[in-house]
Amino acid sequence: MGGKRPIIDPWGTTRIDDYSKLFKEFGIESIEPLVSKFPHPSRYLRRRVIFGHRDLQRIIEAIRDGQPFAVMSGIKPTGEFHLGTKMTAEEIIYFQHLSPKAVASYAIADVEAYADNGIPFEESAEIAVANVADLLALGLDPKRAYVYRQSAEIRVLKLGSMFSRGVTYSMLKAIYGVKQFGLYISALIQVGDILLPQLKDFGGPKPVVVPVGADQDPHIRLTRDLASKYHDQFGFIIPGATYHKLIHSLTGEAKMSKRTPMSYLLLSDTPELAGEKVLNALTGGRETVEKQRKLGGVPEKCVVYELGLFHFIDDDDKVRQIYEECVKGIRMCGECKCEHAEYVARFLKEHQRKRKSFIDAARKLLSQK
Ligand code: SF4
């Protein structure tokens, strides 16, 4: 790298092999000392799927002191919920339920969907209904949530335009690399999304936490920079963030990709199709049963194990048991995949039943904005 910091591309397929490098390169802090400060650490916290943070202490203090705070996230409405968007959604729901003083802000990033994927606003508005139904089915409390489409929220668009005076092309290039201008504009609007809960209309300024995947850090860095630049005008508190690991694609690449449908699970997949995907997924197994018995498998390299660890098995003891049986060579991949396929199918059946019942509520929630 010749001493230069690498560029993480939030719109690309950044592969991050060593998360600890992000501590050194970008100043993300380890989550380790803070996990025990949460009254009921989530599955993602307990298992260190969330591995890092910035300024999370402010949120922990707000919870302790019964002070208001916001948790903010969003989705680019380009398709159905997948495991990555499920993870972010569950994280905001977790923070929302940690305190009666917490509010959730959820942006439907339709400006970004247009800039990055060319999806017209009318089309992304329909996709958003399905996305919000997923969010409600996962447990979002709509009474303490603000869900909106970027293109319909004038305050966000105004903030984005104002922030364009606070950046130069070289700054954006240093953070994101050379991109088409629409992506820079949508990045500035996204800064508006993150800072929106701190406007007076929303009872701000107040601490905000943004749960993101490790590849989204450039947006957080830009936002923190602009929050500090515009502090005198708005009184912004620098927003914090939590960072989660990126789930591997079922076929083993760093990130799930829409180009290869068997590489990712959608929450709308039929349990049968999802089962088939799990059965075809990459494992950390050995070439032969004999070798597996002798040497054990490698769960650290196994996408099937990752599905249970990240998403589908809540019981920590069960995950530990799978790990130990795998490394000791007691567990074979065929049966293990079938077992995981059942966990996935059970989750999907229940989720899809709930989601259906939330479609009208999702439409209503979005029509308010
Ligand atoms: Fe993965 Fe299970 Fe095979 Fe171990 S036994 S490598 S956890 S599929």
Side-chain angles (χ1 to χ4, degrees):
M1 289 294 158
K4 257 177 92 184
R5 284 202 315 191
I7 286 177
I8 297 178
D9 182 357
W11 299 290
T13 48
T14 300
R15 188 184 172 104
I16 300 171
D17 291 318
D18 181 2
Y19 288 98
S20 64
K21 270 198 189 147
L22 300 177
F23 300 149
K24 211 164 73 214
E25 301 275 4
F26 297 106
I28 292 173
E29 290 182 65
S30 164
I31 200 72
E32 211 52 55
L34 297 190
V35 174
S36 62
K37 309 249 190 270
F38 284 89
H40 307 286
S42 67
R43 184 174 69 241
Y44 299 129
L45 281 168
R46 291 196 311 272
R47 300 181 187 169
R48 309 304 189 262
V49 176
I50 295 176
F51 66 93
H53 77 97
R54 291 185 197 269
D55 284 335
L56 191 58
Q57 291 90 336
R58 285 203 191 102
I59 301 296
I60 292 170
E61 282 160 21
I63 296 168
R64 186 197 61 201
D65 302 340
Q67 292 299 315
F69 71 91
V71 53
M72 187 278 148
S73 185
I75 186 170
K76 186 169 67 164
T78 55
E80 299 281 354
F81 256 45
H82 50 72
L83 295 184
T85 38
K86 168 182 176 283
M87 202 185 294
T88 316
E90 287 179 329
E91 285 166 0
I92 75 159
I93 292 162
Y94 171 71
F95 277 107
Q96 187 198 34
H97 290 282
L98 274 179
S99 159
K101 292 286 180 73
V103 290
S105 189
Y106 196 77
I108 304 294
D110 55 354
V111 173
E112 190 186 357
Y114 180 75
D116 196 15
N117 307 83
I119 299 190
F121 291 123
E122 304 73 42
E123 197 182 314
S124 55
E126 262 319 296
I127 297 173
V129 173
N131 293 161
V132 173
D134 275 314
L135 190 62
L136 293 169
L138 288 169
L140 184 87
D141 175 358
K143 292 193 283 307
R144 276 191 290 122
Y146 183 57
V147 180
Y148 63 92
R149 282 177 293 125
Q150 286 176 325
S151 63
E153 176 44 88
I154 190 72
R155 288 165 290 196
V156 161
L157 299 174
K158 268 191 187 168
L159 285 173
S161 316
M162 286 176 69
F163 297 148
S164 67
R165 274 179 61 80
V167 290
T168 62
Y169 173 60
S170 344
M171 281 169 63
L172 294 172
K173 200 171 105 189
I175 297 175
Y176 296 108
V178 176
K179 294 286 168 193
Q180 45 119 329
F181 241 84
L183 291 179
Y184 293 147
I185 292 168
S186 69
L188 291 169
I189 290 172
Q190 206 171 116
V191 175
D193 287 324
I194 297 176
L195 295 176
L196 183 75
Q198 296 208 50
L199 295 186
K200 290 217 163 56
D201 293 0
F202 295 88
K206 60 176 133 180
V208 176
V209 59
V210 193
V212 290
D215 57 339
Q216 299 299 305
D217 187 48
H219 295 316
I220 301 295
R221 280 184 275 134
L222 177 64
T223 306
R224 286 167 62 89
D225 193 23
L226 284 164
S228 131
K229 263 191 193 145
Y230 285 80
H231 175 268
D232 289 351
Q233 196 173 341
F234 292 97
F236 290 139
I237 297 169
I238 311 267
T242 58
Y243 296 89
H244 59 239
K245 295 178 183 168
L246 307 177
I247 188 144
H248 286 88
S249 83
L250 298 177
T251 39
E253 294 91 24
K255 244 175 134 177
M256 307 210 168
S257 151
K258 289 209 167 141
R259 269 170 243 119
T260 31
M262 288 305 274
S263 75
Y264 56 87
L265 282 181
L266 294 175
L267 298 200
S268 58
D269 279 346
T270 61
E272 294 72 28
L273 175 61
E276 202 184 314
K277 290 180 179 181
V278 176
L279 295 182
N280 279 309
L282 185 85
T283 72
R286 308 284 175 182
E287 308 84 66
T288 62
V289 170
E290 290 68 39
K291 268 198 179 169
Q292 179 107 345
R293 286 214 176 94
K294 199 163 157 223
L295 303 169
V298 188
E300 290 83 359
K301 288 191 181 162
C302 179
V303 179
V304 176
Y305 177 73
E306 198 174 72
L307 285 175
L309 178 75
F310 281 31
H311 286 281
F312 296 106
I313 307 180
D314 270 323
D315 181 351
D316 291 344
D317 289 338
K318 180 70 199 172
V319 173
R320 210 168 292 125
Q321 183 197 342
I322 292 173
Y323 183 91
E324 277 166 19
E325 288 178 1
C326 174
V327 293
K328 286 180 185 158
I330 302 169
R331 178 173 277 267
M332 297 298 123
C333 295
E335 288 157 38
C336 188
K337 285 204 257 190
C338 291
E339 191 181 332
H340 280 81
E342 267 174 43
Y343 278 110
V344 174
R346 214 174 300 151
F347 171 87
L348 288 181
K349 263 188 209 147
E350 180 58 13
H351 177 76
Q352 288 167 8
R353 186 190 61 74
K354 284 194 213 153
R355 178 195 198 255
K356 214 165 153 193
S357 70
F358 279 118
I359 290 284
D360 289 345
R363 210 174 279 285
K364 197 167 149 217
L365 201 59
L366 277 166
S367 67
Q368 289 161 7
K369 196 64 244 172

